[in-house]
Amino acid sequence: MYSSLINLFPVIILGIGAIVSLAVEPLLKNANKHRILPWISASFVVLAMLPFFFVVQDTLYGIFAMDPVRRLLGWAILFCTFLGIGGVQWTLAREKYRGGEAYGLLMLASAGALCMTQAIDYLSLFIGMELASFPIYALVGLRRKDRCGNEGVFKYFISGAVFSVVFLYGAALIYGATGSTHFSTVILEGRQWLYTAGLFLVLFGLLFKAGAAPVHFWVADVYTGAPVAITAFMAAVIKVGALAAIGSVWISSIAAPSSLETWNLAQPIIATFMSKPLELLVLTVAFLSIVIGAFSGLAQKSIRRILAFSAVMNAGFIVLGLLLPNYAGTGVVQLGPMYFFLITYAIASAGALTGIAYFSGNNDEWETLGAIRGLGREHPLVGLGVIVCLASLAGLPPAAGFVAKFTVFAGLFSAQFYMVAIIGFVLSIVAAVYYLRIIYVLFAS
């Protein structure tokens, strides 16, 4: 038991780093805040990566778990946090922002996302959700006098509070149906539908955090209102935490408790509880997310709004991984393809938006398509990095995003979801247009 305490060391290190950053900030001159604080924060993020080399595959007090997949997700979160710190430094130093609280808030949000990936209890998951959400509310409204920022943080805070209540009510129903807040527990006799209703509400609360349709209404406004670097952080870190939690809840909801003793998310699970309504929920969310994300992104001129709808679309592809390799037919589920897609998306999205943050001017006025024309030729290394990330998001070979999408589509065909696979493939080609528009404009004369 005590040996598994090392699994929480990354969260503890990030928490200490956030406290140190917030404590040092008032002692620094305004001119030095964005020179010193980023290095302090980045050092703690790198330090938080080290315990993942020594983690053990075990559960901690029945509320947190660790396995190889969770370790990879943790590394992805910390890497995207590292990128986010660099993007925030560029943005705030260019605008001569007088405060330095953003760096501590980034680490607190990352600590919450790590808790979400490791949680195997609804209460610990809720604590992780709120620890990830509240710093993001402050970061979205970092520009206090910006109208778009104020509108974005208001919408995000109000809707986030509502869906936190939805999540808690769902957890309460699950507790009433099982007598426990643990993910993997036995449903009491006659309370199957109470459990299913609670699971629906819990999943909707997490889908809101992931930005999937039909609860995606906040994504475009919040992504646009926040500074570009914060948008990059949200698109990667918060989405990893939310979708990793969805995977854990899904696995525990369809499998017997005895089959989850090792809590290895990469291991195939045979469903002992299968529900047609849950399958319909996944297909509906995936279909709406892919369609809305693909077509809405074509009409946008702001890069952040384009990538906001990209986030909605990719959430749909990732959610489809819950049904692979053949949940509907044989009841076998393996979340490896889903998490591989999630990691490649998170890194590519964070990299692309961090590069755009480097190009953007004060208050991000250069992040529209027309305003960034030719900036890739002026900064070729950053432009090349953005191209690689956008190519991965578009699913172009040989980028990792191509392998991730191919794996998902192949899995859909093997599971006999032919129409879903064909529609997803066609719409991914449609969505590739707006990624290619950004690449063309960056290097156009």
Side-chain angles (χ1 to χ4, degrees):
M1 177 64 71
Y2 292 107
S3 63
S4 61
L5 282 172
I6 195 172
N7 298 344
L8 280 184
F9 277 17
V11 177
I12 296 170
I13 291 171
L14 286 178
I16 294 172
I19 294 171
V20 170
S21 178
L22 293 173
V24 170
E25 190 266 346
L27 306 178
L28 300 175
K29 295 181 179 179
N30 291 334
N32 292 329
K33 287 181 180 179
H34 303 300
R35 297 174 183 171
I36 297 175
L37 290 177
W39 285 101
I40 294 175
S41 303
S43 299
F44 275 98
V45 170
V46 172
L47 191 62
M49 293 181 180
L50 300 181
F52 279 114
F53 287 101
F54 307 102
V55 293
V56 294
Q57 186 168 317
D58 197 3
T59 60
L60 179 63
Y61 301 114
I63 58 176
F64 293 107
M66 179 59 65
D67 57 49
V69 174
R70 286 184 168 92
R71 177 167 57 183
L72 283 176
L73 292 169
W75 272 327
I77 287 173
L78 293 174
F79 178 73
C80 294
T81 302
F82 190 86
L83 290 178
I85 290 171
V88 168
Q89 180 188 22
W90 292 333
T91 300
L92 299 186
R94 183 169 52 233
E95 296 179 9
K96 298 182 180 179
Y97 185 77
R98 296 170 63 87
E101 69 278 7
Y103 305 102
L105 294 174
L106 284 173
M107 285 189 284
L108 286 175
S110 297
L114 288 177
C115 289
M116 293 176 72
T117 64
Q118 297 185 35
I120 55 173
D121 184 276
Y122 290 108
L123 294 182
S124 60
L125 175 56
F126 179 74
I127 291 172
M129 281 174 54
E130 298 307 292
L131 180 57
S133 297
F134 276 93
I136 292 296
Y137 298 148
L139 290 168
V140 171
L142 205 59
R143 295 169 175 152
R144 298 176 180 87
K145 296 182 180 180
D146 183 73
R147 183 177 177 180
C148 291
N150 292 335
E151 179 184 354
V153 72
F154 178 77
K155 289 181 178 179
Y156 192 30
F157 178 75
I158 297 299
S159 55
V162 170
F163 279 92
S164 291
V165 173
V166 170
F167 176 90
L168 278 179
Y169 189 63
L173 291 180
I174 291 174
Y175 179 78
T178 64
S180 172
T181 58
H182 197 274
F183 285 2
S184 178
T185 187
V186 178
I187 304 171
L188 300 178
E189 186 177 355
R191 300 187 183 182
Q192 181 70 64
W193 284 104
L194 184 64
Y195 179 83
T196 303
L199 190 60
F200 263 79
L201 294 178
V202 164
L203 289 175
F204 261 103
L206 291 171
L207 287 170
F208 169 83
K209 298 295 182 183
V215 287
H216 69 289
F217 48 83
W218 59 273
V219 175
D221 290 334
V222 174
Y223 276 35
T224 305
V228 179
I230 303 303
T231 301
F233 180 82
M234 291 175 60
V237 172
I238 304 303
K239 192 173 289 289
V240 169
L243 287 165
I246 288 174
S248 297
V249 171
W250 181 262
I251 283 292
S252 65
S253 70
I254 64 172
S258 60
S259 67
L260 293 174
E261 292 178 355
T262 59
W263 280 96
N264 188 346
L265 293 182
Q267 182 179 354
I269 299 293
I270 299 178
T272 56
F273 162 57
M274 289 181 62
S275 173
K276 276 292 181 182
L278 291 177
E279 180 186 332
L280 183 62
L281 171 68
V282 170
L283 290 174
T284 302
V285 167
F287 180 77
L288 289 176
S289 299
I290 294 170
V291 171
I292 292 172
F295 288 111
S296 298
L298 291 175
Q300 307 304 318
K301 295 182 179 179
S302 165
I303 295 175
R304 277 182 294 176
R305 292 186 75 87
I306 290 174
L307 293 181
F309 287 109
S310 165
V312 174
M313 181 188 68
N314 281 286
F317 284 125
I318 294 167
V319 167
L320 282 174
L322 297 173
L323 302 178
L324 301 181
N326 195 357
Y327 171 80
T330 62
V332 179
V333 174
Q334 185 176 9
L335 298 186
M338 171 183 168
Y339 286 124
F340 177 60
F341 197 122
L342 176 58
I343 290 171
T344 58
Y345 164 77
I347 294 175
S349 184
L353 281 165
T354 302
I356 299 301
Y358 180 84
F359 292 136
S360 298
N362 291 339
N363 297 318
D364 304 328
E365 70 266 22
W366 294 349
E367 57 95 24
T368 58
L369 283 173
I372 65 168
R373 180 178 291 270
L375 292 180
R377 290 187 290 114
E378 296 179 15
H379 308 280
L381 289 179
V382 179
L384 179 61
V386 172
I387 284 179
V388 171
C389 292
L390 290 173
S392 182
L393 289 173
L396 300 178
F402 167 77
V403 180
K405 284 189 178 180
F406 179 82
T407 303
V408 169
F409 290 142
L412 290 172
F413 268 102
S414 66
Q416 297 182 358
F417 287 114
Y418 301 122
M419 288 305 300
V420 177
I422 292 171
I423 292 172
F425 177 74
V426 171
L427 292 181
S428 67
I429 295 176
V430 172
V433 173
Y434 52 69
Y435 299 118
L436 295 175
R437 282 170 61 199
I438 300 174
I439 295 174
Y440 170 76
V441 171
L442 270 177
F443 285 87
S445 56

